Amino acid sequence: MNRQINVFDGARQFMLRWDYFKTQKAPSAHGRLKLSTRRSLAGNLNQEGTSYASRSTMFFPSQDGFWDAVEEGVKPLVLSLAIHHDFITYTSCEGHLYAQSNEDPDERHIGIIPRSTEEYQRCLNLLTDSCIDHNTKNDNSSTSARVLEHTLIDYEERLPVIDLILEKKETASWETYFDELDYSTKTLADFIDANCKKT
């Protein structure tokens, strides 16, 4: 999976608000905000309710309705990384098999914007270790966990980000990949939770 550079105008502001609303009452994610999130036939959650790349409404964990904007299959990783470790997640996808179209399937992934160089390294170490653990325990699985370091564009600024991806092995079928995906996700989430060292 080759991730394209994401554009998130206002990412820096989103990061500040993520932390601010841990101690202040956050605006509700129900009502008008929730109306800006739609579900596609394949289960994608975004503003247009489409299966192709689309803008998403960004919510904070402190907002009621936060979990309504997170796709079901990726929730264990969001819980582990955004809630238990307090990493700022900027994207997540449960993975989608587009059986009714010719579109390429999406693989499960979650992306993090580290607040600092120190947090970047801590996150990178944790995710790298979780991938090694997953790939060792699931050698015969159709999935392979991988860490991808890349860039997020916030207006003219480029921010370093880290993605955790559950890829389909070349020798596996998409059907087998999706059959085993939830178990692989649990393996990753369990390791991440077992190594929770929030500061």
Side-chain angles (χ1 to χ4, degrees), residues 105-148:
D106 290 328
E107 293 166 312
R108 186 165 294 178
H109 63 270
I110 183 168
I112 294 167
I113 317 173
R115 298 173 178 85
S116 64
T117 302
E118 292 75 19
E119 186 174 87
Y120 186 100
Q121 194 59 53
R122 180 167 67 89
C123 178
L124 180 61
N125 291 344
L126 174 65
L127 296 187
T128 299
D129 288 346
S130 71
C131 288
I132 292 170
D133 180 76
H134 169 277
N135 294 340
T136 300
K137 290 178 178 175
N138 299 279
D139 184 53
N140 295 321
S141 169
S142 64
T143 64
S144 178
R146 179 167 72 102
V147 175
L148 179 63

Side-chain angles (χ1 to χ4, degrees), residues 82-170:
I83 307 301
H84 297 163
H85 278 271
D86 191 33
F87 290 129
I88 298 175
T89 55
Y90 75 96
T91 185
S92 66
C93 176
E94 68 177 358
H96 304 284
L97 182 63
Y98 303 112
Q100 306 303 319
S101 71
N102 294 323
E103 295 177 78
D104 291 334
D106 290 328
E107 293 166 312
R108 186 165 294 178
H109 63 270
I110 183 168
I112 294 167
I113 317 173
R115 298 173 178 85
S116 64
T117 302
E118 292 75 19
E119 186 174 87
Y120 186 100
Q121 194 59 53
R122 180 167 67 89
C123 178
L124 180 61
N125 291 344
L126 174 65
L127 296 187
T128 299
D129 288 346
S130 71
C131 288
I132 292 170
D133 180 76
H134 169 277
N135 294 340
T136 300
K137 290 178 178 175
N138 299 279
D139 184 53
N140 295 321
S141 169
S142 64
T143 64
S144 178
R146 179 167 72 102
V147 175
L148 179 63
E149 300 177 76
H150 66 122
T151 303
L152 179 70
I153 297 178
D154 178 10
Y155 296 106
E156 299 300 317
E157 187 175 7
R158 288 176 172 258
L159 305 177
V161 292
I162 306 172
D163 281 10
L164 174 62
I165 307 168
L166 273 166
E167 298 180 311
K168 182 186 76 68
K169 291 181 179 176
E170 289 186 8

Side-chain angles (χ1 to χ4, degrees), residues 19 32 68 113 182:
D19 288 332
R32 290 178 60 191
D68 295 336
I113 317 173
D182 286 343

